[in-house]
Amino acid sequence: MSEQKINKKLFQDRKRTNILSNPEQKFISYLVPRIPEWITSDGLTGIGFFGSLMILASFLLAEYISIYFLLLAVLGFFIQWFGDSLDGRIAYYRNKSRKWYGFALDIVMDWVSTVFIGLGYVFYTTGDFKYLGFTLVSLYGWAMIISQLRYRITDQYTIDAGLLGPTEIRVIICLVLILEVIVPGSINYSVLLICIALFFINIGDTKKLLAVGDLKDKEEKAAKLQKESNQQQA
C-alpha cells in the first residue's frame, strides 16, 4: 500500500488544523506499517503511558537530584507522542479499530497524562507558582471538554484548537523545559504565559461551540416544524 493511501486510510475519521499536521501525518504513515505485529494497539497505549510516567519522574529527579533530569521529560514526551499517536492509527491500519473503546481509552489516558504533567510541575516549583500547575491542568481539561462537546454536537471529532494541537503543546512544553535547564526559574513565567494563552483560546473556542450549538438547535426546530407540517398535510 502506498504512503498516500495509508495516510488517507489512517486519518479519514478526523479533521486536523494544527500547524504540524502534514509532517506529523506523513511520519505516522511511515511508522505504522513498520510496527511489529506483536505490538498491539493497547501495547502502544501502554508505551504512551510509560512516557507520561517518565515526564513525572523527570520533574521529581530534577527537584531532588539535578535540574538536568528535566531533559528526560523531552524523551518522555516523544515516547508519549509515539504511543498516543499510533495506538489508534495502528488499529485502523490493521482493520481492528474499536471506535468507542478506543475513544474512551484515549480520553482517559490524555487526562491522566495531563494530570501527571501538572503534578510534576507542582512538585518541581516553589511558592505560589505551584498554583499554576492546577491552573494548567484545569485549562487543558476545559479544552478537552470543548472537544468532546463539539464531537457530540457536530459528530466530527477534532482535537485541535485552531493552529495548536496536542503535538504543538508537547513541543512548546519541551522548549520550556530546555529553557528552564539553561535559565533556571524561567519555567514559572513560561507556564504563566501558556496558561494565559490557553485561557483566551478556550474562551474563543467556547464562543464558537455555543454558536454551533445554537445553529444546531435552530436546525432541529426547523426540521421538527417541517415534519409536523408534512404530517398535517398527509
Side-chain angles (χ1 to χ4, degrees), residues 46-231:
I47 290 173
F49 179 70
F50 176 73
S52 299
L53 289 176
M54 284 182 63
I55 296 168
L56 176 60
S58 74
F59 278 108
L60 294 173
L61 292 171
E63 169 65 13
Y64 295 108
I65 300 177
S66 171
I67 193 173
Y68 290 101
F69 276 106
L70 284 179
L71 298 177
L72 179 65
V74 177
L75 176 60
F77 272 111
F78 176 78
I79 294 174
Q80 184 197 70
W81 171 87
F82 181 86
D84 182 47
S85 298
L86 270 69
D87 55 1
R89 300 309 97 189
I90 200 74
Y92 272 95
Y93 179 75
R94 295 174 180 173
N95 297 316
K96 296 180 179 179
S97 61
R98 292 172 288 178
K99 180 179 179 181
W100 297 116
Y101 170 89
F103 175 75
L105 182 61
D106 188 53
I107 296 303
V108 170
M109 294 311 299
D110 281 350
W111 178 245
V112 171
S113 297
T114 302
V115 170
F116 279 0
I117 295 170
L119 188 61
Y121 174 78
V122 169
F123 280 128
Y124 174 76
T125 195
T126 58
D128 290 340
F129 283 110
K130 288 183 180 292
Y131 296 112
L132 287 178
F134 171 79
T135 304
L136 181 63
V137 171
S138 299
L139 288 170
Y140 197 80
W142 181 3
M144 290 178 65
I145 290 172
I146 291 173
S147 177
Q148 308 321 307
L149 290 174
R150 187 188 298 118
Y151 184 30
R152 176 66 179 86
I153 294 172
T154 67
D155 201 32
Q156 294 181 350
Y157 186 48
T158 58
I159 58 176
D160 304 320
L163 297 177
L164 295 180
T167 301
E168 285 74 16
I169 296 296
R170 290 186 180 104
V171 171
I172 291 171
I173 295 177
C174 286
L175 293 175
V176 167
L177 294 174
I178 293 171
L179 179 62
E180 172 66 10
V181 172
I182 299 172
V183 186
S186 62
I187 191 172
N188 297 321
Y189 302 98
S190 298
V191 171
L192 176 61
L193 290 175
I194 291 173
C195 287
I196 293 172
L198 277 176
F199 175 77
F200 285 107
I201 289 172
N202 285 346
I203 288 291
D205 283 349
T206 298
K207 289 182 178 180
K208 292 177 183 178
L209 178 67
L210 292 174
V212 170
D214 186 49
L215 180 61
K216 183 72 176 289
D217 284 336
K218 291 177 180 178
E219 290 175 348
E220 289 183 348
K221 288 180 180 179
K224 183 178 180 181
L225 290 174
Q226 183 63 44
K227 182 179 179 180
E228 292 175 351
S229 176
N230 292 338
Q231 289 176 343

